[in-house]
Structures are given as C-alpha cells and as structure tokens.
Amino acid sequence: MKGRAHLAKYIISEGVPLKGRIKVDGAKNSVLPIIAASLLGETKSIIEEVPDLNDVKIMCDLIKSLGAEVEPLGKKSIAFHLRDITNSTAPYELVNKLRASFLVMGPMLAKTGFVRVALPGGCAIGSRPVDLHLKGFTALGAEITQGHGYVEARKTTKKLIGNKIYLDFPSVGATENIMMAAVLAEGQTSIENAAIEPEIVDLASYLNEMGACIRGAGTDTIRIEGVEKLYGCTHTVIPDRIEAGTYMAAATITHGEVIIDNVVPDHLKPIIAKLKEIGAEIEEDTSSVSVKGNCDLKAIDLKTLPYPGFPTDMQAQMTALLSCTSGTSIVTETIFENRFMHVSELKRMGANIKIDGRTAVIEGKKYLTGASVKATDLRAGAALVLAGLAAEGATEISEIQHIDRGYCALDVKLRSLGAKIERVEDN
C-alpha cells in the first residue's frame, strides 16, 4: 500500500459532462474490519480487491504493531498472518489517525484475552461513542477499565461467554466488534438490533470462511455459535457502494453519461431511488449501473438513516448535487450531529444553503462558481470535487488528504471520464 502526499490539492479548471466507463474498488468500510478480523486466524489469510487507501495502510501498520505479518501480493491483494502477539496496545499515534482502529479490540480480546486501545480519532463529523462496543464486551464477560486516554478489556474467565446483547442503536462498528469477539466465545451469542449494512454481511462471510458459525448477518438479529479456532482463508472484498454512489452523483451533476462497473446494484437502492427522483436516468445490470444526468434536475427532500435508508456517507455529495437543481431541497442528517461542515465551503462556490440544527435547506441554482475551498473531512471533500466538476471557472480544493482516505486516485479516474482535474503536490 502506498500513501499519497498530504500537502496536495486538486485543481478543477472547468466543468464538463463526464462520459465513459469506470470501475469501483473494494469497499473501504468493509476491508478495514476484515483486516482486523485477520488477527483471529491461526493460519494465513489472503484478502483480494483491497483498495489502495491511506486508511488501509494505517490499519495494516496497526496490526503489524501488534505482531501480524502483512505481505502485499500484487496490486490489490494482501496476505495477513498473526504468528505471535508482540504487543497488546494499539497506540494513540495510529488510532488517532483512523477511528476504525478500534475494531482490533474485539479480535484481540477474543484471541489473547487482553487488549489496550487508545480512544479513537477519525473524521471530525460528530460524536461516535464506543460505549456500545464496551457494553457488548462486558456482556461477554470482559472487564473494562478506562483512563489516560486508553480503554482496556480483559477476560475474567478462560474464554469469553456467549450472551444476548441488545444494541440501543444499530451501530455498524459495535456490531462488527462484538461479532469478532463472540466467534471464539463459549456458547451462543445473539446481537439484537444489529446493523444490517452490506459491510456487516461481508465481514460475517469472511469469518464463516475462516470457520466461524454466524447466522443472520444482514438481519437485525445475528446469532453466533462460538468455535475453538479460526483459520485463514482467501476472501474478496465487496465493491464500495459509497464510491459508486459518488460517481453516480458526479455523472448526474455534470449532466454526463457514465457506466460504473464492479457494483452490487442491491447495495445502491436508496442512492438509485433518490437520483431517479432528482431526474437522472439509471439502468441496472448484474454488476454495473449506467447513469445519465439530464439538464432538468429537480429538488427533493432527503433524510439519512441506517441501512437500508439513505447513507450518511452520501449526504455531502447529494447536498452538492442539490445545490445545482431547480427548487428547494431539504436534507436532514440523523446519524451525525456535525456533518454539515461542507456547507460553508459550498457557499463559497455560490451555493444557497441554510442550516437549522440537523437540517439543511437548499435553494438550488443553475450553476455554482469556482473558488478556493478546503476539504474538512472525507465525504465533504468528495462533495467539493462534485461541485467543482459542475462549476463555472476554476476550483482549487486543499486538504485533500481527507479525500485520499476513501478514494483511490480519484483524479485519475475522473480524468478518464473527461474531467479537467489535476492533482498538484505542494512541497
């Protein structure tokens, strides 16, 4: 995995309709818990369709610091093998860069009986507490202590003990972490009000391929029968539905025509429904979607919800798109309380948006204008790229290290569709 320089910016010289064909990479939000789960195997695992992202590099560095062997196998495959635990602490300098680092807690607790993890960082899009993770570990018999910016979990018996766990909110991270802890527990664990995202199903598939016994992933009740050991396997990561959704929105906002390959259309249902409502023409195939953006795009109302509702990770991109429609749109963010940081930057480009708590009221206009803006987080950065692709005049986007966390060579892919975008390294 290679990182890309942090002091860099995108310059979009003019907006043009995007045309052509593009392929989506493996899902960032799926591969990160899968890498963490590789700590559970007694033998080597090979993960395929691994996206070349900074977040993946950080997660690999983290599990290497715990004693895992990480071996790149070509462009998109990596082998993982944990022979010996050399360290039980996930340090602040790594966890602070990547919130998903907290996902090593479940597998390390199950495998070794003790783990110490710094309280996590990640995008500054609002409070994402880990109390549901810890509640689950406690129900499995772990003892939790917190202090000095770290949280520790340790077994109080030889093995964790299966239990019935109800989540107050269908948290993706908590569902994943508890599932990974429970696969080696004694007896049966049930997770009720579990998250049902496709990434949960992908993680469960990987764990089952390793020898776990998990049923119900993709429903709100997951049942896990503990096993003695897990072994390595070869697994292919599902396509990234948020990357696919971003390209779909890009085709729509530029009035372009784009075919997006390596997708699971079922995972995109809420995005497809809303883009059709706006006025895009969308056709689905087995593993691809084609999107045609019409000139007459309409305002809509949109609310983010846990899957299968509209994903919060697409809210910023849709806000940019709705800024270029005719009429008044209302966007309600129910997942994170601070996920409108892109709005002030979009307003610099001429967007007419008013924020009231968790609601944005968007008065659409014919076009936006280029400006110098900065990415405040991953999806905000993607929204600014979309706005720049549709704007009159040049747009300069700084702080694009946030964008690198979730999109592989975004500029290269967009140029293949005709976009006038360049990445400029600032040394």
Side-chain angles (χ1 to χ4, degrees):
M1 288 294 129
K2 64 180 187 297
R4 302 192 86 189
H6 278 200
L7 294 175
K9 57 190 176 186
Y10 283 145
I11 296 177
I12 303 172
S13 55
E14 61 177 306
V16 297
L18 301 183
K19 293 187 184 295
R21 198 163 196 140
I22 198 167
K23 183 182 176 184
V24 168
D25 283 295
K28 173 182 98 84
N29 290 336
S30 201
V31 74
L32 297 177
I34 283 172
I35 292 172
S38 299
L39 294 166
L40 289 162
E42 298 292 322
T43 54
K44 181 165 68 175
S45 279
I46 297 173
I47 313 301
E48 297 178 334
E49 288 299 317
V50 178
D52 186 7
L53 298 171
N54 287 343
D55 276 14
V56 172
K57 181 180 184 300
I58 293 167
M59 184 62 97
C60 288
D61 287 344
L62 175 59
I63 69 164
K64 276 197 286 189
S65 77
L66 301 173
E69 296 177 8
V70 179
E71 179 189 359
L73 301 174
K75 192 175 181 183
K76 292 186 178 181
S77 298
I78 305 181
F80 300 94
H81 190 193
L82 181 65
R83 297 183 188 277
D84 296 300
I85 298 294
T86 57
N87 176 29
S88 294
T89 298
Y92 175 77
E93 56 267 24
L94 288 174
V95 179
N96 183 53
K97 295 177 183 176
L98 177 64
R99 183 178 180 82
S101 301
F102 202 74
L103 293 173
V104 302
M105 195 159 210
M108 286 288 288
L109 175 63
K111 187 80 176 283
T112 72
F114 173 77
V115 61
R116 181 172 182 261
V117 181
L119 289 169
C123 279
I125 58 173
S127 173
R128 297 194 278 186
V130 296
D131 57 327
L132 293 179
H133 303 237
L134 304 182
K135 174 184 173 182
F137 297 150
T138 301
L140 295 173
E143 180 181 87
I144 307 295
T145 56
Q146 295 186 61
H148 305 288
Y150 281 81
V151 57
E152 295 181 356
R154 69 175 69 241
K155 292 179 190 173
T156 55
T157 53
K158 185 177 179 181
K159 298 185 72 172
L160 296 174
I161 306 298
N163 202 347
K164 182 180 287 188
I165 299 164
Y166 178 84
L167 298 180
D168 299 325
F169 177 83
S171 161
V172 174
T175 301
E176 291 168 339
N177 231 342
I178 295 165
M179 193 160 60
M180 290 187 283
V183 290
L184 296 181
E186 190 173 294
Q188 187 179 94
T189 298
S190 66
I191 307 172
E192 298 180 353
N193 198 30
I196 63 173
E197 273 75 357
E199 294 79 13
I200 299 290
V201 179
D202 200 24
L203 175 61
S205 297
Y206 176 55
L207 291 168
N208 282 340
E209 289 160 13
M210 296 175 78
C213 183
I214 302 171
R215 288 170 292 138
T219 75
D220 61 4
T221 301
I222 299 174
R223 290 183 172 85
I224 305 150
E225 197 70 47
V227 298
E228 283 295 319
K229 290 183 178 181
L230 297 184
Y231 297 92
C233 66
T234 298
H235 179 80
T236 301
V237 177
I238 60 171
D240 194 314
R241 60 194 170 101
I242 304 303
E243 185 191 7
T246 301
Y247 296 137
M248 294 169 72
T252 305
I253 198 173
T254 64
H255 313 299
E257 195 167 352
V258 176
I259 298 171
I260 302 154
D261 291 317
N262 190 36
V263 301
V264 181
D266 272 359
H267 296 172
L268 300 170
K269 280 183 177 178
I271 300 171
I272 290 171
K274 284 301 176 182
L275 289 175
K276 283 184 175 180
E277 194 178 335
I278 288 169
E281 296 178 28
I282 300 175
E283 293 184 5
E284 303 172 37
D285 206 340
T286 308
S287 60
S288 66
V289 292
S290 64
V291 184
K292 183 179 181 181
N294 291 315
C295 292
D296 182 23
L297 299 177
K298 299 179 288 291
I300 63 165
D301 292 346
L302 184 149
K303 179 185 285 189
T304 64
L305 290 166
Y307 189 85
F310 193 87
T312 182
D313 279 353
M314 276 297 299
Q315 179 262 107
Q317 299 92 308
M318 291 295 283
T319 298
L321 171 55
L322 293 171
S323 298
C324 299
T325 60
S326 57
T328 302
S329 298
I330 297 175
V331 175
T332 304
E333 173 59 62
T334 72
I335 309 297
F336 297 125
E337 73 276 11
N338 192 25
R339 202 157 204 180
F340 283 127
M341 293 194 296
H342 49 283
V343 166
S344 60
E345 299 300 301
L346 287 173
K347 289 168 79 170
R348 288 175 55 80
M349 300 180 70
N352 188 351
I353 307 172
K354 293 179 181 176
I355 302 295
D356 182 9
R358 292 196 175 202
T359 300
V361 179
I362 306 165
E363 294 289 345
K365 35 200 322 189
K366 191 172 182 180
Y367 58 84
L368 301 179
T369 53
S372 293
V373 291
K374 67 176 179 179
T376 53
D377 62 72
L378 167 54
R379 306 306 174 185
L384 295 174
V385 170
L386 296 194
L389 292 173
E392 284 199 344
T395 300
E396 181 179 300
I397 306 170
S398 59
E399 304 289 332
I400 64 171
Q401 71 272 13
H402 295 295
I403 300 173
D404 289 343
R405 289 187 49 236
Y407 296 91
C408 302
L410 181 61
D411 53 322
V412 177
K413 288 188 175 183
L414 290 173
R415 276 199 304 277
S416 76
L417 299 175
K420 308 296 185 184
I421 181 172
E422 296 293 336
R423 183 187 182 99
V424 178
E425 308 293 345
D426 184 1
N427 295 319

